[in-house]
Amino acid sequence: MASISSSPRTVEEIFKDFSARRAGIVRALTQDVDEFYGLCDPEKENLCLYGHPNETWEVNLPAEEVPPELPEPALGINFARDGMNRRDWLSLVAVHSDCWLLSVAFYFGAQINRNDRKRLFSLINDLPTVFEVVTERKPAKDKPSTDSGSKSRGSTKRSSDGVVKSTTPKASEEGYEEEEEHGETLCGCCGGNYNANEFWIGCDICERWFHGKCVKITPAKAEGIKHYKCPSCCLKRGRP
């Protein structure tokens, strides 16, 4: 059994591993679907669909060692093949594959800290699921809510690593070291503390954060603002 210390250890490494395994499974269920279908003979023993870190896929028997090196995919996917509509069967395999991919990612992620696990999930969540790809369903767009729609420098709702900025005003382009401290963020207008249940918006000039209600900006209105300037910065710009 391989040592867990030799496994992907950073968020970037784990996400790269996840993406490659996902690509292999997507390939099996779309581009190589006829080959995959043929390998899943119900007359064979319990088979599993594996995605590998080199973006390939494999239909094989489960690992013999206990416990296995990694979490195992759904067992016996071949048994249901001829008892279901082909499309429904592929969708079922896709759902179980999504569960397996997440379990592998967070098996590796068990040793990273809380903030990094949040970031890892955010990166994963920005990708369509295998199920969505196989069924050709587009991921639902982000719905406006009380804590979405705030702006960061040069971006819309999301930062470069996919995290909605309004939920973590302290998070910066340098990383997530300050995420646990975002409760200390104060509104530039009223001085009130950060509250995850309230809509916040960040000024692209002074980089301070404000309650949306204090600067009369709603989540819907923020959607149409590319670069937000707070009232103070607007006054400064207007002076001779």
Side-chain angles (χ1 to χ4, degrees), residues 88-144:
D88 291 341
W89 176 71
L90 291 172
S91 298
L92 181 64
V93 174
V95 169
H96 282 289
S97 296
D98 280 319
C99 294
W100 176 68
L101 288 168
L102 282 173
S103 68
V104 171
F106 282 90
Y107 172 81
F108 293 140
Q111 296 193 110
I112 60 179
N113 64 41
R114 178 183 177 184
N115 291 342
D116 282 344
R117 286 196 299 274
K118 287 181 180 179
R119 185 154 64 98
L120 174 61
F121 179 76
S122 181
L123 290 169
I124 290 173
N125 203 39
D126 277 348
L127 292 175
T129 63
V130 176
F131 175 78
E132 287 170 332
V133 174
V134 170
T135 59
E136 299 179 348
R137 297 184 183 184
K138 294 182 179 180
K141 294 182 178 179
D142 294 319
K143 296 179 181 179

Side-chain angles (χ1 to χ4, degrees), residues 139-155:
K141 294 182 178 179
D142 294 319
K143 296 179 181 179
S145 65
T146 56
D147 60 355
S148 68
S150 65
K151 304 295 169 180
S152 61
R153 292 190 306 276
S155 68

Side-chain angles (χ1 to χ4, degrees), residues 28-202:
L29 299 178
T30 55
Q31 186 175 339
D32 299 342
V33 66
D34 290 335
E35 180 185 354
F36 168 70
Y37 190 87
L39 290 172
C40 292
D41 186 346
E43 298 300 319
K44 295 181 180 179
E45 296 182 57
N46 287 291
L47 295 175
C48 301
L49 171 60
Y50 294 88
H52 296 306
N54 61 354
E55 300 189 8
T56 62
W57 60 274
E58 177 186 17
V59 171
N60 209 336
L61 297 172
E64 293 184 0
E65 67 265 27
V66 178
E69 179 183 344
L70 292 175
E72 285 291 297
L75 182 65
I77 57 172
N78 50 312
F79 290 158
R81 191 195 71 177
D82 293 349
M84 300 176 64
N85 172 278
R86 173 166 162 157
R87 184 178 179 84
D88 291 341
W89 176 71
L90 291 172
S91 298
L92 181 64
V93 174
V95 169
H96 282 289
S97 296
D98 280 319
C99 294
W100 176 68
L101 288 168
L102 282 173
S103 68
V104 171
F106 282 90
Y107 172 81
F108 293 140
Q111 296 193 110
I112 60 179
N113 64 41
R114 178 183 177 184
N115 291 342
D116 282 344
R117 286 196 299 274
K118 287 181 180 179
R119 185 154 64 98
L120 174 61
F121 179 76
S122 181
L123 290 169
I124 290 173
N125 203 39
D126 277 348
L127 292 175
T129 63
V130 176
F131 175 78
E132 287 170 332
V133 174
V134 170
T135 59
E136 299 179 348
R137 297 184 183 184
K138 294 182 179 180
K141 294 182 178 179
D142 294 319
K143 296 179 181 179
S145 65
T146 56
D147 60 355
S148 68
S150 65
K151 304 295 169 180
S152 61
R153 292 190 306 276
S155 68
T156 53
K157 290 190 299 180
R158 294 181 180 273
S159 62
S160 59
D161 48 24
V163 175
V164 179
K165 293 296 257 185
S166 57
T167 61
T168 54
K170 269 288 196 180
S172 66
E173 293 174 357
E174 287 73 34
Y176 286 76
E177 297 82 7
E178 300 292 331
E179 185 167 343
E180 285 297 292
E181 302 299 324
H182 70 260
E184 298 179 3
T185 301
L186 303 179
C187 174
C189 279
C190 71
N193 287 322
Y194 167 75
N195 185 331
N197 294 321
E198 295 180 294
F199 169 68
W200 284 66
I201 188 164

Side-chain angles (χ1 to χ4, degrees), residues 206-235:
C206 66
E207 300 184 10
R208 290 185 298 168
W209 289 84
F210 303 85
H211 288 113
K213 62 184 180 182
C214 289
V215 291
K216 298 181 180 179
I217 299 293
T218 63
K221 189 174 181 180
E223 290 290 338
I225 302 175
K226 291 184 177 180
H227 300 287
Y228 174 69
K229 289 191 292 186
C230 69
S232 296
C233 289
C234 286
L235 287 174

